[in-house]
Amino acid sequence: MRYLIGRYHEIALKGRNQWRFVDQVKQNLRDLFGDYRLGNIRSVGPRLMVQIPDELSDEIAAERAALIFGLQNFSISYSTPRDIESISREAIKRASGSKARTFAVRTRREDKRFAMNSVEIDRAVGGEVQEALGFEVDLSAPELTISIEIMNDAAYVSAGKIVGAGGLPVGVTGRGMALLSGGIDSPVAAYRMMRRGLRLDFVHFHAHPLVSAASKEKAAELAAHLTRWQARSTLMLVPFGNLQREIVANTLRPLRVILYRRFMLRIASALAERSQATVLVTGESLGQVASQTLENMAVIEKAAAYPVMRPLVGMDKNEIIDQARLLGTFETSIIPDEDCCTLFVPAHPETRARIEEVEAAESRFDIPRMIDDAVRATEVARFWFPPRATNAATAKESGTQY
């Protein structure tokens, strides 16, 4: 019988609160394997054990398990009786077909009453594997590691451990609203906050129909990709072009970008309230563009009704690009588009805005009306992983229905 055995990351350090984190991992696992009927799921010491159904291949099981935040590593393990002959046979079976030339056996005993200690098991099983398959023993840097875990009910054998996603399980630290621009930075920021246990909804500001719908399509593709780590997502598509035109008609050029950003945070805050989110997440990096100077970020943030989290604030562009490539969002993010950030942008935007000057400029606007108009015009797209037939089908909904 096959089992997915996941080993906890930070969860192992949570003391009396550990059960909350473990329960969240279990729920997230059920969601990400929602198209399969998993067997028993139980927590045994510092590990999670999940019975895998016959129709679920090792490849898909490993692919899905790698998306679950909270697991440091995992393995596809096979149960066998708790005698050294059975364990050795299973180890040989797991290692057969491997192209490795060197190997090691690593044993952990959950049940310390087992007749042999871990070192004795390693030696006994290792000798049988070496004789049967001709591998050389290398205890420092083996190409293949055979893992054996001795539990109360059975022994569990696997050929190697797979690196997990780490972090904290999505949903355990709360809910946030991530501003998803369609560029390189914001998907990386969203991923980093999901890895810290935050469940996210997404909001994208676009200028369609003043420009093409390309940025909306990119945002939907990025949201669908990010949904792989949290099983379900909502993307809110806010038409922003007319609001920008109103700002352009009533504001001096240098301050326009500052006002755009402040209105985005106001609208995102209104949508966050309806989604029961308690923080906003942006992909800002200090000094990267004119709106991301220290002075401008401080002025812009004052318009938000919720704390603004900036997980990339101390990273440079190359670091962010490297993470986007690993995440799998880079190629989508660099597809050319026309988003609202490129519409009506002055040649020389203000880099050191003063709050008094900005508030004076905003006094010309009916801010509550503008926010309400944007929220009511917002379209909503919902995504699931594993995908459903309705994935990425965008339906226009009233903001009061969130």
Side-chain angles (χ1 to χ4, degrees), residues 46-193:
R47 62 182 70 78
L48 187 70
M49 301 190 64
V50 185
Q51 188 175 340
I52 301 175
D54 292 340
E55 65 271 17
L56 177 55
S57 69
D58 286 357
E59 291 75 19
I60 292 178
E63 181 182 294
R64 300 277 179 91
L67 301 172
I68 298 172
F69 291 123
L71 299 182
Q72 182 177 20
N73 58 62
F74 62 91
S75 55
I76 307 300
S77 298
Y78 290 73
S79 62
T80 191
R82 293 177 8 134
D83 60 80
I84 199 66
E85 293 81 10
S86 297
I87 295 171
S88 296
R89 283 196 298 271
E90 192 63 45
I92 293 169
K93 190 183 298 183
R94 294 306 113 215
S96 295
S98 172
K99 296 180 180 179
R101 293 169 296 178
T102 61
F103 83 108
V105 179
R106 302 278 189 254
T107 302
R108 292 192 65 177
R109 294 182 305 154
E110 182 70 23
D111 181 6
K112 303 299 184 184
R113 299 169 301 174
F114 192 75
M116 303 170 67
N117 64 34
S118 296
V119 173
E120 291 170 339
I121 297 170
D122 291 348
R123 288 173 177 168
V125 174
E128 294 292 332
V129 171
Q130 187 176 32
E131 182 178 346
L133 302 177
F135 297 159
E136 291 297 322
V137 175
D138 184 345
L139 300 181
S140 58
E143 295 178 9
L144 172 68
T145 299
I146 299 171
S147 298
I148 301 170
E149 300 184 69
I150 307 295
M151 307 290 191
N152 292 326
D153 59 336
Y156 297 83
V157 182
S158 64
K161 294 179 180 178
I162 303 169
V163 176
L168 299 174
V170 168
V172 78
T173 59
R175 193 177 194 97
M177 176 71 71
L179 280 70
L180 195 63
S181 68
I184 297 169
D185 303 344
S186 55
V188 176
Y191 171 84
R192 289 173 69 92
M193 293 312 300

Side-chain angles (χ1 to χ4, degrees), residues 274 375-378 380 382 395-402:
R274 290 158 172 78
V375 170
R376 284 190 290 107
T378 296
V380 177
R382 305 193 189 280
K396 190 170 183 178
E397 301 179 5
S398 167
T400 59
Q401 295 180 323
Y402 294 143

Side-chain angles (χ1 to χ4, degrees), residues 95-390:
S96 295
S98 172
K99 296 180 180 179
R101 293 169 296 178
T102 61
F103 83 108
V105 179
R106 302 278 189 254
T107 302
R108 292 192 65 177
R109 294 182 305 154
E110 182 70 23
D111 181 6
K112 303 299 184 184
R113 299 169 301 174
F114 192 75
M116 303 170 67
N117 64 34
S118 296
V119 173
E120 291 170 339
I121 297 170
D122 291 348
R123 288 173 177 168
V125 174
E128 294 292 332
V129 171
Q130 187 176 32
E131 182 178 346
L133 302 177
F135 297 159
E136 291 297 322
V137 175
D138 184 345
L139 300 181
S140 58
E143 295 178 9
L144 172 68
T145 299
I146 299 171
S147 298
I148 301 170
E149 300 184 69
I150 307 295
M151 307 290 191
N152 292 326
D153 59 336
Y156 297 83
V157 182
S158 64
K161 294 179 180 178
I162 303 169
V163 176
L168 299 174
V170 168
V172 78
T173 59
R175 193 177 194 97
M177 176 71 71
L179 280 70
L180 195 63
S181 68
I184 297 169
D185 303 344
S186 55
V188 176
Y191 171 84
R192 289 173 69 92
M193 293 312 300
M194 287 191 292
R195 194 173 184 269
R196 299 311 304 156
L198 203 62
R199 178 171 293 282
L200 294 179
D201 292 312
F202 305 107
V203 56
H204 174 72
F205 296 87
H206 65 87
H208 183 72
L210 301 182
V211 298
S212 75
S215 79
K216 293 173 63 177
E217 294 164 1
K218 278 179 62 177
E221 188 171 339
L222 291 168
H225 186 82
L226 291 167
T227 303
R228 294 166 57 84
W229 284 273
Q230 62 175 16
R232 58 188 180 278
S233 299
T234 298
L235 170 64
M236 303 177 192
L237 297 156
V238 181
F240 200 65
N242 288 334
L243 189 150
Q244 285 181 278
R245 288 201 292 194
E246 191 169 345
I247 291 173
V248 167
N250 294 280
T251 307
L252 295 175
R253 289 183 179 181
L255 289 180
R256 289 174 185 171
V257 173
I258 306 298
L259 267 61
Y260 297 161
R261 301 295 188 193
R262 281 171 61 88
F263 271 95
M264 286 179 181
L265 290 188
R266 290 187 177 104
I267 295 165
S269 295
L271 296 171
E273 181 180 7
R274 290 158 172 78
S275 297
Q276 298 183 318
T278 57
V279 295
L280 304 179
V281 177
T282 74
E284 294 166 292
S285 173
L286 184 60
Q288 188 174 127
V289 295
S291 65
Q292 294 173 19
T293 64
L294 196 60
E295 295 86 350
N296 284 357
M297 287 197 295
V299 168
I300 291 167
E301 184 174 358
K302 290 182 184 297
Y306 296 98
V308 179
M309 309 195 82
R310 302 178 176 94
L312 310 185
V313 70
M315 298 176 66
D316 65 37
K317 196 66 176 184
N318 287 335
E319 292 172 318
I320 298 169
I321 288 172
D322 288 344
Q323 290 209 359
R325 291 185 188 278
L326 291 173
L327 182 59
T329 56
F330 179 76
E331 296 301 328
T332 299
S333 293
I334 62 173
I335 295 173
D337 69 343
E338 299 174 288
D339 65 8
C340 64
C341 295
T342 60
L343 190 66
F344 308 130
V345 174
H348 303 288
E350 179 63 66
T351 58
R352 294 187 174 182
R354 294 183 297 109
I355 187 64
E356 299 82 7
E357 186 180 13
V358 171
E359 289 178 342
E362 289 181 338
S363 66
R364 303 184 181 95
F365 300 104
D366 183 354
I367 293 175
R369 188 267 305 166
M370 295 167 74
I371 294 172
D372 186 58
D373 286 350
V375 170
R376 284 190 290 107
T378 296
E379 296 175 298
V380 177
R382 305 193 189 280
F383 302 88
W384 289 267
F385 184 83
R388 300 181 184 178
T390 55

Side-chain angles (χ1 to χ4, degrees), residues 2-71:
R2 290 181 305 152
Y3 287 81
L4 169 67
I5 300 182
R7 297 158 193 93
Y8 301 134
H9 191 226
E10 295 178 53
I11 294 175
L13 307 176
K14 296 304 178 183
R16 294 181 180 178
N17 290 321
Q18 187 178 114
W19 66 270
R20 291 180 52 246
F21 294 83
V22 171
D23 282 354
Q24 189 67 62
V25 171
K26 290 179 180 178
Q27 182 57 57
N28 294 347
L29 188 142
R30 292 187 188 98
D31 290 342
L32 288 175
F33 285 90
D35 49 346
Y36 292 95
R37 186 181 294 275
L38 298 176
N40 183 44
I41 302 176
R42 58 193 172 104
S43 186
V44 181
R47 62 182 70 78
L48 187 70
M49 301 190 64
V50 185
Q51 188 175 340
I52 301 175
D54 292 340
E55 65 271 17
L56 177 55
S57 69
D58 286 357
E59 291 75 19
I60 292 178
E63 181 182 294
R64 300 277 179 91
L67 301 172
I68 298 172
F69 291 123
L71 299 182

